[in-house]
Amino acid sequence: MNRSQTIKSLIIVPTIGILVALAGSQNGLSFNGVPIFALCVALAFLVNWLAFVPAYSMQSEKFYDFTGSLTYISVTIVALLLSGKSDLRSIILAALVMIWAARLGTFLLRRVR
């Protein structure tokens, strides 16, 4: 990827993320005045950008799948905790998402290693 493409990507990708966060936040729950959906989108970007730094420096995609699992788990936990009162269905759904993400992430990490 050349410098021009990199600069375009650094502008376009966060812009799309912001637009998705705004669209998904309409009439949704908020935490301290900030839409929970937008916080989850920001968290997903943060986790992936933090994982990008060592991956780029090592020029490796070794932890790509594990980062995806970590993103699913962290976003699910944050969404569940910030949503306030959760019913049994929400807790079961969140638990199943986290179990699936953990199982898949560990399987793919072991396969790469």
Side-chain angles (χ1 to χ4, degrees):
M1 184 181 282
N2 65 35
R3 186 173 177 86
S4 173
Q5 290 173 323
T6 302
I7 292 171
K8 286 178 187 176
S9 296
L10 287 173
I11 294 170
I12 292 170
V13 171
T15 301
I16 291 171
I18 290 169
L19 292 173
V20 167
L22 289 173
S25 296
Q26 300 299 313
N27 301 319
L29 296 175
S30 294
F31 179 76
N32 289 338
V34 180
I36 294 173
F37 187 85
L39 288 172
C40 290
V41 170
L43 177 61
F45 267 86
L46 179 67
V47 168
N48 284 277
W49 279 337
L50 289 175
F52 169 76
V53 173
Y56 183 77
S57 66
M58 295 186 310
Q59 292 295 299
S60 171
E61 292 181 3
K62 198 172 194 177
F63 302 107
Y64 176 79
D65 295 315
F66 182 72
T67 302
S69 292
L70 184 63
T71 302
Y72 266 98
I73 292 169
S74 60
V75 167
T76 301
I77 290 170
V78 167
L80 188 64
L81 292 176
L82 296 183
S83 295
K85 186 179 173 185
S86 300
D87 59 355
L88 183 60
R89 184 182 69 161
S90 299
I91 294 168
I92 291 172
L93 181 61
L96 291 174
V97 168
M98 289 186 287
I99 290 168
W100 168 80
R103 183 203 60 81
L104 183 61
T106 54
F107 167 76
L108 293 172
L109 183 63
R110 272 192 257 149
R111 190 184 74 176
V112 167
R113 297 183 108 207

